[in-house]
Amino acid sequence: MKILIIGANGQIGTRLVKQLKESEHTPVAMVRKKDQVGQFENEGIETVLADLEEDIGHAFKNVDGVVFLAGSGAHTPKSQTKVIDEQGAIKAIDAAVDAGVNRFIMVSALMANRDPGAWPDSMQHYYEAKSKADDHLRSAGLNYTILMPGRLTIDEGNRKVELSEEISDLKDRSITRDDVASVIVEMIDSENTYHKSLDLLQGDEPVQEAVAKIS
């Protein structure tokens, strides 16, 4: 499958593009700045220039699936979080529907589908944006998966994870960006993950087995 990566220049995105290039799938890196194109094209990776705050329909031509990884970042204004994490994500979902691209993986955030009362006060706007985008995806009629990783680290991945519709033990746990990318690659054409919202943390189960056992 040819997979459009929205947010390819981010910390998970760069890892995902690299892993997809080494898999049976083909990445298409979507970036919003011209000076970001070269880093991918120099590696022989197809690249498309598109900005979530503008028209993005052209980016969805001739692709089979989408992974949405774009995010406003922890230190951006609340208004920008709404623009990227909510409105940008909804725009991408609608563009996929319009283009007939049926496979859509959304990288959301752990707890985005849980009781808003449990969201930290300082992050209410972030979780609200993620939650609204996720709800839009659930109702869009696509073969979606919403992946909700916990606290992200830059440690080297070990391809051992816990993946479940609800993980109860969250205390002091995290997940490497490497392993988030590995899980995405594994679930792209795994039909058992369609129409699922899945928590993701570091664990004891190999990625392939963790994805395969979702039902």
Side-chain angles (χ1 to χ4, degrees), residues 110 114 147-150 158-171 173-175 179-180 183 198-207 209-211 213-214:
L110 189 67
R114 302 194 190 186
L147 186 63
M148 296 179 287
N158 65 5
R159 295 185 63 84
K160 297 289 185 67
V161 301
E162 182 175 358
L163 183 69
S164 171
E165 292 192 72
E166 183 171 346
I167 298 175
S168 58
D169 177 18
L170 306 181
K171 188 177 180 180
R173 297 180 67 187
S174 59
I175 182 72
D179 288 324
V180 174
V183 169
L198 301 170
D199 292 353
L200 176 63
L201 288 167
Q202 220 69 56
D204 300 318
E205 197 159 30
V207 166
E209 294 178 16
V211 172
K213 81 172 197 178
I214 297 299

PDB file of all heavy atoms in Angstrom, residues 110 114 147-150 158-171 173-175 179-180 183 198-207 209-211 213-214:
ATOM      1  N   LEU A 110      -3.234   8.921  24.627  1.00  0.00           N
ATOM      2  CA  LEU A 110      -3.790   8.099  25.691  1.00  0.00           C
ATOM      3  C   LEU A 110      -4.716   8.931  26.581  1.00  0.00           C
ATOM      4  O   LEU A 110      -4.368  10.040  26.963  1.00  0.00           O
ATOM      5  CB  LEU A 110      -2.647   7.520  26.526  1.00  0.00           C
ATOM      6  CG  LEU A 110      -3.018   6.467  27.566  1.00  0.00           C
ATOM      7  CD1 LEU A 110      -3.511   5.197  26.887  1.00  0.00           C
ATOM      8  CD2 LEU A 110      -1.803   6.151  28.442  1.00  0.00           C
ATOM      9  N   ARG A 114     -11.430   8.945  27.251  1.00  0.00           N
ATOM     10  CA  ARG A 114     -11.882   8.665  28.605  1.00  0.00           C
ATOM     11  C   ARG A 114     -12.558   9.892  29.217  1.00  0.00           C
ATOM     12  O   ARG A 114     -12.692  10.939  28.581  1.00  0.00           O
ATOM     13  CB  ARG A 114     -10.710   8.188  29.463  1.00  0.00           C
ATOM     14  CG  ARG A 114     -10.048   6.934  28.884  1.00  0.00           C
ATOM     15  CD  ARG A 114      -9.140   6.252  29.858  1.00  0.00           C
ATOM     16  NE  ARG A 114      -8.352   5.203  29.225  1.00  0.00           N
ATOM     17  CZ  ARG A 114      -7.562   4.368  29.879  1.00  0.00           C
ATOM     18  NH1 ARG A 114      -7.462   4.436  31.201  1.00  0.00           N
ATOM     19  NH2 ARG A 114      -6.859   3.448  29.231  1.00  0.00           N
ATOM     20  N   LEU A 147      -4.961   5.183  17.318  1.00  0.00           N
ATOM     21  CA  LEU A 147      -3.893   4.677  18.180  1.00  0.00           C
ATOM     22  C   LEU A 147      -3.588   5.740  19.229  1.00  0.00           C
ATOM     23  O   LEU A 147      -3.293   6.888  18.897  1.00  0.00           O
ATOM     24  CB  LEU A 147      -2.654   4.369  17.343  1.00  0.00           C
ATOM     25  CG  LEU A 147      -1.492   3.695  18.060  1.00  0.00           C
ATOM     26  CD1 LEU A 147      -1.899   2.308  18.566  1.00  0.00           C
ATOM     27  CD2 LEU A 147      -0.283   3.577  17.135  1.00  0.00           C
ATOM     28  N   MET A 148      -3.639   5.347  20.497  1.00  0.00           N
ATOM     29  CA  MET A 148      -3.515   6.302  21.595  1.00  0.00           C
ATOM     30  C   MET A 148      -2.307   5.971  22.470  1.00  0.00           C
ATOM     31  O   MET A 148      -2.424   5.286  23.499  1.00  0.00           O
ATOM     32  CB  MET A 148      -4.814   6.317  22.400  1.00  0.00           C
ATOM     33  CG  MET A 148      -5.987   6.818  21.572  1.00  0.00           C
ATOM     34  SD  MET A 148      -7.562   6.832  22.442  1.00  0.00           S
ATOM     35  CE  MET A 148      -7.889   5.076  22.492  1.00  0.00           C
ATOM     36  N   PRO A 149      -1.126   6.421  22.053  1.00  0.00           N
ATOM     37  CA  PRO A 149       0.070   6.137  22.840  1.00  0.00           C
ATOM     38  C   PRO A 149       0.149   7.013  24.086  1.00  0.00           C
ATOM     39  O   PRO A 149      -0.388   8.121  24.140  1.00  0.00           O
ATOM     40  CB  PRO A 149       1.213   6.469  21.873  1.00  0.00           C
ATOM     41  CG  PRO A 149       0.633   7.493  20.947  1.00  0.00           C
ATOM     42  CD  PRO A 149      -0.826   7.152  20.821  1.00  0.00           C
ATOM     43  N   GLY A 150       0.859   6.497  25.083  1.00  0.00           N
ATOM     44  CA  GLY A 150       1.104   7.266  26.294  1.00  0.00           C
ATOM     45  C   GLY A 150       2.288   8.195  26.130  1.00  0.00           C
ATOM     46  O   GLY A 150       2.644   8.588  25.015  1.00  0.00           O
ATOM     47  N   ASN A 158      12.242  -1.423  21.543  1.00  0.00           N
ATOM     48  CA  ASN A 158      12.577  -2.851  21.719  1.00  0.00           C
ATOM     49  C   ASN A 158      11.512  -3.765  21.114  1.00  0.00           C
ATOM     50  O   ASN A 158      11.584  -4.979  21.257  1.00  0.00           O
ATOM     51  CB  ASN A 158      12.772  -3.182  23.200  1.00  0.00           C
ATOM     52  CG  ASN A 158      11.497  -3.018  24.030  1.00  0.00           C
ATOM     53  OD1 ASN A 158      10.421  -2.738  23.498  1.00  0.00           O
ATOM     54  ND2 ASN A 158      11.623  -3.188  25.341  1.00  0.00           N
ATOM     55  N   ARG A 159      10.503  -3.132  20.453  1.00  0.00           N
ATOM     56  CA  ARG A 159       9.431  -3.867  19.785  1.00  0.00           C
ATOM     57  C   ARG A 159       8.660  -4.767  20.762  1.00  0.00           C
ATOM     58  O   ARG A 159       8.147  -5.809  20.375  1.00  0.00           O
ATOM     59  CB  ARG A 159       9.961  -4.665  18.595  1.00  0.00           C
ATOM     60  CG  ARG A 159      10.518  -3.795  17.475  1.00  0.00           C
ATOM     61  CD  ARG A 159      10.935  -4.605  16.257  1.00  0.00           C
ATOM     62  NE  ARG A 159       9.794  -5.292  15.666  1.00  0.00           N
ATOM     63  CZ  ARG A 159       8.935  -4.743  14.804  1.00  0.00           C
ATOM     64  NH1 ARG A 159       9.064  -3.469  14.455  1.00  0.00           N
ATOM     65  NH2 ARG A 159       7.940  -5.452  14.301  1.00  0.00           N
ATOM     66  N   LYS A 160       8.559  -4.321  22.005  1.00  0.00           N
ATOM     67  CA  LYS A 160       7.746  -5.013  23.015  1.00  0.00           C
ATOM     68  C   LYS A 160       6.741  -3.997  23.561  1.00  0.00           C
ATOM     69  O   LYS A 160       7.141  -2.956  24.094  1.00  0.00           O
ATOM     70  CB  LYS A 160       8.609  -5.549  24.152  1.00  0.00           C
ATOM     71  CG  LYS A 160       9.626  -6.621  23.722  1.00  0.00           C
ATOM     72  CD  LYS A 160       8.934  -7.923  23.384  1.00  0.00           C
ATOM     73  CE  LYS A 160       9.941  -9.025  23.082  1.00  0.00           C
ATOM     74  NZ  LYS A 160      10.726  -9.409  24.274  1.00  0.00           N
ATOM     75  N   VAL A 161       5.450  -4.309  23.431  1.00  0.00           N
ATOM     76  CA  VAL A 161       4.425  -3.318  23.748  1.00  0.00           C
ATOM     77  C   VAL A 161       3.238  -3.955  24.472  1.00  0.00           C
ATOM     78  O   VAL A 161       3.118  -5.178  24.536  1.00  0.00           O
ATOM     79  CB  VAL A 161       3.905  -2.623  22.460  1.00  0.00           C
ATOM     80  CG1 VAL A 161       5.042  -1.935  21.716  1.00  0.00           C
ATOM     81  CG2 VAL A 161       3.179  -3.611  21.551  1.00  0.00           C
ATOM     82  N   GLU A 162       2.370  -3.091  24.988  1.00  0.00           N
ATOM     83  CA  GLU A 162       1.033  -3.489  25.412  1.00  0.00           C
ATOM     84  C   GLU A 162       0.050  -2.684  24.572  1.00  0.00           C
ATOM     85  O   GLU A 162       0.108  -1.451  24.551  1.00  0.00           O
ATOM     86  CB  GLU A 162       0.798  -3.231  26.896  1.00  0.00           C
ATOM     87  CG  GLU A 162      -0.587  -3.701  27.356  1.00  0.00           C
ATOM     88  CD  GLU A 162      -0.823  -3.564  28.857  1.00  0.00           C
ATOM     89  OE1 GLU A 162       0.099  -3.134  29.569  1.00  0.00           O
ATOM     90  OE2 GLU A 162      -1.949  -3.895  29.296  1.00  0.00           O
ATOM     91  N   LEU A 163      -0.824  -3.390  23.878  1.00  0.00           N
ATOM     92  CA  LEU A 163      -1.783  -2.777  22.974  1.00  0.00           C
ATOM     93  C   LEU A 163      -3.158  -3.335  23.301  1.00  0.00           C
ATOM     94  O   LEU A 163      -3.374  -4.547  23.254  1.00  0.00           O
ATOM     95  CB  LEU A 163      -1.419  -3.108  21.517  1.00  0.00           C
ATOM     96  CG  LEU A 163      -2.277  -2.501  20.409  1.00  0.00           C
ATOM     97  CD1 LEU A 163      -2.083  -0.997  20.318  1.00  0.00           C
ATOM     98  CD2 LEU A 163      -1.945  -3.164  19.070  1.00  0.00           C
ATOM     99  N   SER A 164      -4.091  -2.456  23.650  1.00  0.00           N
ATOM    100  CA  SER A 164      -5.386  -2.926  24.121  1.00  0.00           C
ATOM    101  C   SER A 164      -6.414  -1.812  23.971  1.00  0.00           C
ATOM    102  O   SER A 164      -6.062  -0.632  23.910  1.00  0.00           O
ATOM    103  CB  SER A 164      -5.287  -3.338  25.595  1.00  0.00           C
ATOM    104  OG  SER A 164      -6.562  -3.596  26.151  1.00  0.00           O
ATOM    105  N   GLU A 165      -7.700  -2.195  23.939  1.00  0.00           N
ATOM    106  CA  GLU A 165      -8.747  -1.179  23.874  1.00  0.00           C
ATOM    107  C   GLU A 165      -8.808  -0.353  25.151  1.00  0.00           C
ATOM    108  O   GLU A 165      -9.296   0.783  25.118  1.00  0.00           O
ATOM    109  CB  GLU A 165     -10.094  -1.825  23.563  1.00  0.00           C
ATOM    110  CG  GLU A 165     -10.143  -2.399  22.151  1.00  0.00           C
ATOM    111  CD  GLU A 165     -11.530  -2.784  21.718  1.00  0.00           C
ATOM    112  OE1 GLU A 165     -12.349  -1.885  21.462  1.00  0.00           O
ATOM    113  OE2 GLU A 165     -11.796  -4.001  21.635  1.00  0.00           O
ATOM    114  N   GLU A 166      -8.334  -0.885  26.248  1.00  0.00           N
ATOM    115  CA  GLU A 166      -8.184  -0.074  27.463  1.00  0.00           C
ATOM    116  C   GLU A 166      -7.133  -0.676  28.361  1.00  0.00           C
ATOM    117  O   GLU A 166      -7.271  -1.812  28.819  1.00  0.00           O
ATOM    118  CB  GLU A 166      -9.504   0.068  28.228  1.00  0.00           C
ATOM    119  CG  GLU A 166      -9.354   0.967  29.447  1.00  0.00           C
ATOM    120  CD  GLU A 166     -10.678   1.306  30.104  1.00  0.00           C
ATOM    121  OE1 GLU A 166     -11.736   1.076  29.497  1.00  0.00           O
ATOM    122  OE2 GLU A 166     -10.654   1.792  31.242  1.00  0.00           O
ATOM    123  N   ILE A 167      -6.069   0.078  28.593  1.00  0.00           N
ATOM    124  CA  ILE A 167      -5.029  -0.330  29.536  1.00  0.00           C
ATOM    125  C   ILE A 167      -5.328   0.341  30.863  1.00  0.00           C
ATOM    126  O   ILE A 167      -5.478   1.564  30.943  1.00  0.00           O
ATOM    127  CB  ILE A 167      -3.635   0.077  29.029  1.00  0.00           C
ATOM    128  CG1 ILE A 167      -3.316  -0.632  27.695  1.00  0.00           C
ATOM    129  CG2 ILE A 167      -2.572  -0.256  30.067  1.00  0.00           C
ATOM    130  CD1 ILE A 167      -2.012  -0.205  27.063  1.00  0.00           C
ATOM    131  N   SER A 168      -5.432  -0.445  31.911  1.00  0.00           N
ATOM    132  CA  SER A 168      -5.810   0.103  33.212  1.00  0.00           C
ATOM    133  C   SER A 168      -4.609   0.612  34.015  1.00  0.00           C
ATOM    134  O   SER A 168      -4.712   1.604  34.744  1.00  0.00           O
ATOM    135  CB  SER A 168      -6.583  -0.938  34.024  1.00  0.00           C
ATOM    136  OG  SER A 168      -5.809  -2.114  34.187  1.00  0.00           O
ATOM    137  N   ASP A 169      -3.483  -0.052  33.880  1.00  0.00           N
ATOM    138  CA  ASP A 169      -2.292   0.331  34.645  1.00  0.00           C
ATOM    139  C   ASP A 169      -1.479   1.338  33.832  1.00  0.00           C
ATOM    140  O   ASP A 169      -0.755   0.974  32.915  1.00  0.00           O
ATOM    141  CB  ASP A 169      -1.449  -0.907  34.954  1.00  0.00           C
ATOM    142  CG  ASP A 169      -0.159  -0.561  35.684  1.00  0.00           C
ATOM    143  OD1 ASP A 169      -0.062   0.551  36.237  1.00  0.00           O
ATOM    144  OD2 ASP A 169       0.760  -1.400  35.681  1.00  0.00           O
ATOM    145  N   LEU A 170      -1.607   2.617  34.162  1.00  0.00           N
ATOM    146  CA  LEU A 170      -0.953   3.679  33.392  1.00  0.00           C
ATOM    147  C   LEU A 170       0.218   4.323  34.130  1.00  0.00           C
ATOM    148  O   LEU A 170       1.019   5.031  33.512  1.00  0.00           O
ATOM    149  CB  LEU A 170      -1.969   4.780  33.050  1.00  0.00           C
ATOM    150  CG  LEU A 170      -3.256   4.349  32.348  1.00  0.00           C
ATOM    151  CD1 LEU A 170      -4.124   5.578  32.084  1.00  0.00           C
ATOM    152  CD2 LEU A 170      -2.959   3.613  31.052  1.00  0.00           C
ATOM    153  N   LYS A 171       0.338   4.090  35.419  1.00  0.00           N
ATOM    154  CA  LYS A 171       1.270   4.839  36.246  1.00  0.00           C
ATOM    155  C   LYS A 171       2.727   4.664  35.810  1.00  0.00           C
ATOM    156  O   LYS A 171       3.216   3.543  35.665  1.00  0.00           O
ATOM    157  CB  LYS A 171       1.120   4.422  37.710  1.00  0.00           C
ATOM    158  CG  LYS A 171       1.926   5.291  38.667  1.00  0.00           C
ATOM    159  CD  LYS A 171       1.685   4.900  40.120  1.00  0.00           C
ATOM    160  CE  LYS A 171       2.498   5.779  41.069  1.00  0.00           C
ATOM    161  NZ  LYS A 171       2.270   5.409  42.485  1.00  0.00           N
ATOM    162  N   ARG A 173       4.290   4.924  33.111  1.00  0.00           N
ATOM    163  CA  ARG A 173       4.585   4.145  31.914  1.00  0.00           C
ATOM    164  C   ARG A 173       4.691   5.049  30.689  1.00  0.00           C
ATOM    165  O   ARG A 173       4.135   6.152  30.658  1.00  0.00           O
ATOM    166  CB  ARG A 173       3.514   3.072  31.700  1.00  0.00           C
ATOM    167  CG  ARG A 173       3.468   2.060  32.839  1.00  0.00           C
ATOM    168  CD  ARG A 173       2.418   1.017  32.610  1.00  0.00           C
ATOM    169  NE  ARG A 173       2.751   0.154  31.474  1.00  0.00           N
ATOM    170  CZ  ARG A 173       1.926  -0.764  30.980  1.00  0.00           C
ATOM    171  NH1 ARG A 173       0.717  -0.912  31.507  1.00  0.00           N
ATOM    172  NH2 ARG A 173       2.299  -1.524  29.972  1.00  0.00           N
ATOM    173  N   SER A 174       5.368   4.563  29.690  1.00  0.00           N
ATOM    174  CA  SER A 174       5.623   5.355  28.490  1.00  0.00           C
ATOM    175  C   SER A 174       5.717   4.423  27.291  1.00  0.00           C
ATOM    176  O   SER A 174       5.518   3.213  27.406  1.00  0.00           O
ATOM    177  CB  SER A 174       6.925   6.155  28.649  1.00  0.00           C
ATOM    178  OG  SER A 174       8.021   5.267  28.871  1.00  0.00           O
ATOM    179  N   ILE A 175       6.050   4.984  26.138  1.00  0.00           N
ATOM    180  CA  ILE A 175       6.237   4.211  24.911  1.00  0.00           C
ATOM    181  C   ILE A 175       7.253   4.950  24.035  1.00  0.00           C
ATOM    182  O   ILE A 175       7.218   6.174  23.948  1.00  0.00           O
ATOM    183  CB  ILE A 175       4.892   4.006  24.153  1.00  0.00           C
ATOM    184  CG1 ILE A 175       5.070   3.158  22.874  1.00  0.00           C
ATOM    185  CG2 ILE A 175       4.234   5.330  23.831  1.00  0.00           C
ATOM    186  CD1 ILE A 175       5.338   1.712  23.116  1.00  0.00           C
ATOM    187  N   ASP A 179       8.747   2.464  18.740  1.00  0.00           N
ATOM    188  CA  ASP A 179       7.772   1.383  18.836  1.00  0.00           C
ATOM    189  C   ASP A 179       6.377   1.823  18.404  1.00  0.00           C
ATOM    190  O   ASP A 179       5.600   1.002  17.920  1.00  0.00           O
ATOM    191  CB  ASP A 179       7.758   0.802  20.248  1.00  0.00           C
ATOM    192  CG  ASP A 179       9.012  -0.026  20.531  1.00  0.00           C
ATOM    193  OD1 ASP A 179       9.495  -0.698  19.606  1.00  0.00           O
ATOM    194  OD2 ASP A 179       9.510   0.012  21.673  1.00  0.00           O
ATOM    195  N   VAL A 180       6.053   3.104  18.559  1.00  0.00           N
ATOM    196  CA  VAL A 180       4.803   3.605  17.980  1.00  0.00           C
ATOM    197  C   VAL A 180       4.836   3.408  16.469  1.00  0.00           C
ATOM    198  O   VAL A 180       3.882   2.908  15.867  1.00  0.00           O
ATOM    199  CB  VAL A 180       4.578   5.097  18.323  1.00  0.00           C
ATOM    200  CG1 VAL A 180       3.346   5.627  17.582  1.00  0.00           C
ATOM    201  CG2 VAL A 180       4.396   5.284  19.818  1.00  0.00           C
ATOM    202  N   VAL A 183       4.371  -0.281  15.519  1.00  0.00           N
ATOM    203  CA  VAL A 183       2.983  -0.724  15.641  1.00  0.00           C
ATOM    204  C   VAL A 183       2.164  -0.232  14.441  1.00  0.00           C
ATOM    205  O   VAL A 183       1.352  -0.975  13.878  1.00  0.00           O
ATOM    206  CB  VAL A 183       2.371  -0.231  16.965  1.00  0.00           C
ATOM    207  CG1 VAL A 183       0.859  -0.440  16.979  1.00  0.00           C
ATOM    208  CG2 VAL A 183       3.006  -0.969  18.140  1.00  0.00           C
ATOM    209  N   LEU A 198      -7.253   2.134  20.282  1.00  0.00           N
ATOM    210  CA  LEU A 198      -6.331   1.259  21.004  1.00  0.00           C
ATOM    211  C   LEU A 198      -5.302   2.044  21.815  1.00  0.00           C
ATOM    212  O   LEU A 198      -4.596   2.913  21.276  1.00  0.00           O
ATOM    213  CB  LEU A 198      -5.594   0.348  20.016  1.00  0.00           C
ATOM    214  CG  LEU A 198      -6.481  -0.553  19.155  1.00  0.00           C
ATOM    215  CD1 LEU A 198      -5.660  -1.228  18.064  1.00  0.00           C
ATOM    216  CD2 LEU A 198      -7.187  -1.595  20.022  1.00  0.00           C
ATOM    217  N   ASP A 199      -5.219   1.732  23.110  1.00  0.00           N
ATOM    218  CA  ASP A 199      -4.175   2.276  23.970  1.00  0.00           C
ATOM    219  C   ASP A 199      -2.855   1.582  23.653  1.00  0.00           C
ATOM    220  O   ASP A 199      -2.826   0.377  23.337  1.00  0.00           O
ATOM    221  CB  ASP A 199      -4.504   2.033  25.443  1.00  0.00           C
ATOM    222  CG  ASP A 199      -5.704   2.821  25.936  1.00  0.00           C
ATOM    223  OD1 ASP A 199      -6.212   3.672  25.171  1.00  0.00           O
ATOM    224  OD2 ASP A 199      -6.141   2.586  27.084  1.00  0.00           O
ATOM    225  N   LEU A 200      -1.750   2.334  23.798  1.00  0.00           N
ATOM    226  CA  LEU A 200      -0.430   1.764  23.505  1.00  0.00           C
ATOM    227  C   LEU A 200       0.595   2.241  24.531  1.00  0.00           C
ATOM    228  O   LEU A 200       0.784   3.441  24.731  1.00  0.00           O
ATOM    229  CB  LEU A 200       0.020   2.169  22.099  1.00  0.00           C
ATOM    230  CG  LEU A 200       1.433   1.731  21.689  1.00  0.00           C
ATOM    231  CD1 LEU A 200       1.555   0.210  21.645  1.00  0.00           C
ATOM    232  CD2 LEU A 200       1.807   2.344  20.337  1.00  0.00           C
ATOM    233  N   LEU A 201       1.252   1.264  25.166  1.00  0.00           N
ATOM    234  CA  LEU A 201       2.350   1.537  26.092  1.00  0.00           C
ATOM    235  C   LEU A 201       3.425   0.471  25.920  1.00  0.00           C
ATOM    236  O   LEU A 201       3.196  -0.566  25.285  1.00  0.00           O
ATOM    237  CB  LEU A 201       1.841   1.524  27.538  1.00  0.00           C
ATOM    238  CG  LEU A 201       0.974   2.718  27.963  1.00  0.00           C
ATOM    239  CD1 LEU A 201       0.283   2.427  29.287  1.00  0.00           C
ATOM    240  CD2 LEU A 201       1.808   3.987  28.064  1.00  0.00           C
ATOM    241  N   GLN A 202       4.593   0.734  26.472  1.00  0.00           N
ATOM    242  CA  GLN A 202       5.623  -0.288  26.469  1.00  0.00           C
ATOM    243  C   GLN A 202       5.122  -1.489  27.265  1.00  0.00           C
ATOM    244  O   GLN A 202       4.381  -1.334  28.251  1.00  0.00           O
ATOM    245  CB  GLN A 202       6.896   0.256  27.112  1.00  0.00           C
ATOM    246  CG  GLN A 202       8.174  -0.174  26.417  1.00  0.00           C
ATOM    247  CD  GLN A 202       8.317   0.461  25.044  1.00  0.00           C
ATOM    248  OE1 GLN A 202       8.282   1.670  24.920  1.00  0.00           O
ATOM    249  NE2 GLN A 202       8.477  -0.360  24.013  1.00  0.00           N
ATOM    250  N   GLY A 203       5.482  -2.672  26.807  1.00  0.00           N
ATOM    251  CA  GLY A 203       5.006  -3.873  27.480  1.00  0.00           C
ATOM    252  C   GLY A 203       5.923  -5.044  27.241  1.00  0.00           C
ATOM    253  O   GLY A 203       7.124  -4.874  27.005  1.00  0.00           O
ATOM    254  N   ASP A 204       5.343  -6.239  27.262  1.00  0.00           N
ATOM    255  CA  ASP A 204       6.139  -7.462  27.159  1.00  0.00           C
ATOM    256  C   ASP A 204       5.853  -8.267  25.894  1.00  0.00           C
ATOM    257  O   ASP A 204       6.481  -9.301  25.667  1.00  0.00           O
ATOM    258  CB  ASP A 204       5.871  -8.363  28.375  1.00  0.00           C
ATOM    259  CG  ASP A 204       6.241  -7.688  29.681  1.00  0.00           C
ATOM    260  OD1 ASP A 204       7.305  -7.029  29.726  1.00  0.00           O
ATOM    261  OD2 ASP A 204       5.474  -7.810  30.647  1.00  0.00           O
ATOM    262  N   GLU A 205       4.912  -7.806  25.087  1.00  0.00           N
ATOM    263  CA  GLU A 205       4.491  -8.601  23.942  1.00  0.00           C
ATOM    264  C   GLU A 205       5.123  -8.081  22.645  1.00  0.00           C
ATOM    265  O   GLU A 205       5.108  -6.876  22.391  1.00  0.00           O
ATOM    266  CB  GLU A 205       2.965  -8.546  23.824  1.00  0.00           C
ATOM    267  CG  GLU A 205       2.373  -9.625  22.949  1.00  0.00           C
ATOM    268  CD  GLU A 205       0.897  -9.842  23.267  1.00  0.00           C
ATOM    269  OE1 GLU A 205       0.225  -8.881  23.690  1.00  0.00           O
ATOM    270  OE2 GLU A 205       0.433 -10.982  23.098  1.00  0.00           O
ATOM    271  N   PRO A 206       5.681  -8.957  21.827  1.00  0.00           N
ATOM    272  CA  PRO A 206       6.222  -8.513  20.544  1.00  0.00           C
ATOM    273  C   PRO A 206       5.161  -7.791  19.717  1.00  0.00           C
ATOM    274  O   PRO A 206       3.981  -8.163  19.750  1.00  0.00           O
ATOM    275  CB  PRO A 206       6.658  -9.823  19.875  1.00  0.00           C
ATOM    276  CG  PRO A 206       6.906 -10.765  21.009  1.00  0.00           C
ATOM    277  CD  PRO A 206       5.888 -10.407  22.054  1.00  0.00           C
ATOM    278  N   VAL A 207       5.572  -6.780  18.984  1.00  0.00           N
ATOM    279  CA  VAL A 207       4.633  -5.947  18.222  1.00  0.00           C
ATOM    280  C   VAL A 207       3.724  -6.783  17.341  1.00  0.00           C
ATOM    281  O   VAL A 207       2.497  -6.585  17.327  1.00  0.00           O
ATOM    282  CB  VAL A 207       5.406  -4.910  17.375  1.00  0.00           C
ATOM    283  CG1 VAL A 207       4.495  -4.281  16.321  1.00  0.00           C
ATOM    284  CG2 VAL A 207       5.994  -3.830  18.266  1.00  0.00           C
ATOM    285  N   GLU A 209       2.734  -9.861  17.545  1.00  0.00           N
ATOM    286  CA  GLU A 209       1.749 -10.626  18.320  1.00  0.00           C
ATOM    287  C   GLU A 209       0.705  -9.703  18.938  1.00  0.00           C
ATOM    288  O   GLU A 209      -0.482 -10.042  19.000  1.00  0.00           O
ATOM    289  CB  GLU A 209       2.465 -11.428  19.404  1.00  0.00           C
ATOM    290  CG  GLU A 209       3.376 -12.532  18.861  1.00  0.00           C
ATOM    291  CD  GLU A 209       4.096 -13.262  19.965  1.00  0.00           C
ATOM    292  OE1 GLU A 209       3.690 -13.146  21.148  1.00  0.00           O
ATOM    293  OE2 GLU A 209       5.079 -13.974  19.654  1.00  0.00           O
ATOM    294  N   ALA A 210       1.138  -8.540  19.420  1.00  0.00           N
ATOM    295  CA  ALA A 210       0.212  -7.596  20.051  1.00  0.00           C
ATOM    296  C   ALA A 210      -0.834  -7.110  19.073  1.00  0.00           C
ATOM    297  O   ALA A 210      -2.023  -7.000  19.417  1.00  0.00           O
ATOM    298  CB  ALA A 210       0.990  -6.416  20.633  1.00  0.00           C
ATOM    299  N   VAL A 211      -0.436  -6.849  17.847  1.00  0.00           N
ATOM    300  CA  VAL A 211      -1.378  -6.406  16.816  1.00  0.00           C
ATOM    301  C   VAL A 211      -2.280  -7.550  16.397  1.00  0.00           C
ATOM    302  O   VAL A 211      -3.501  -7.389  16.252  1.00  0.00           O
ATOM    303  CB  VAL A 211      -0.626  -5.811  15.604  1.00  0.00           C
ATOM    304  CG1 VAL A 211      -1.597  -5.529  14.459  1.00  0.00           C
ATOM    305  CG2 VAL A 211       0.099  -4.520  16.003  1.00  0.00           C
ATOM    306  N   LYS A 213      -3.420 -10.070  17.978  1.00  0.00           N
ATOM    307  CA  LYS A 213      -4.399 -10.570  18.940  1.00  0.00           C
ATOM    308  C   LYS A 213      -5.572  -9.626  19.157  1.00  0.00           C
ATOM    309  O   LYS A 213      -6.531  -9.970  19.860  1.00  0.00           O
ATOM    310  CB  LYS A 213      -3.721 -10.892  20.273  1.00  0.00           C
ATOM    311  CG  LYS A 213      -3.481  -9.707  21.171  1.00  0.00           C
ATOM    312  CD  LYS A 213      -2.993 -10.189  22.532  1.00  0.00           C
ATOM    313  CE  LYS A 213      -3.130  -9.098  23.585  1.00  0.00           C
ATOM    314  NZ  LYS A 213      -2.714  -9.554  24.921  1.00  0.00           N
ATOM    315  N   ILE A 214      -5.533  -8.421  18.561  1.00  0.00           N
ATOM    316  CA  ILE A 214      -6.664  -7.499  18.675  1.00  0.00           C
ATOM    317  C   ILE A 214      -7.879  -8.123  17.994  1.00  0.00           C
ATOM    318  O   ILE A 214      -7.799  -8.646  16.893  1.00  0.00           O
ATOM    319  CB  ILE A 214      -6.326  -6.137  18.037  1.00  0.00           C
ATOM    320  CG1 ILE A 214      -5.165  -5.460  18.782  1.00  0.00           C
ATOM    321  CG2 ILE A 214      -7.544  -5.230  18.024  1.00  0.00           C
ATOM    322  CD1 ILE A 214      -5.441  -5.153  20.232  1.00  0.00           C
TER     323      ILE A 214
END
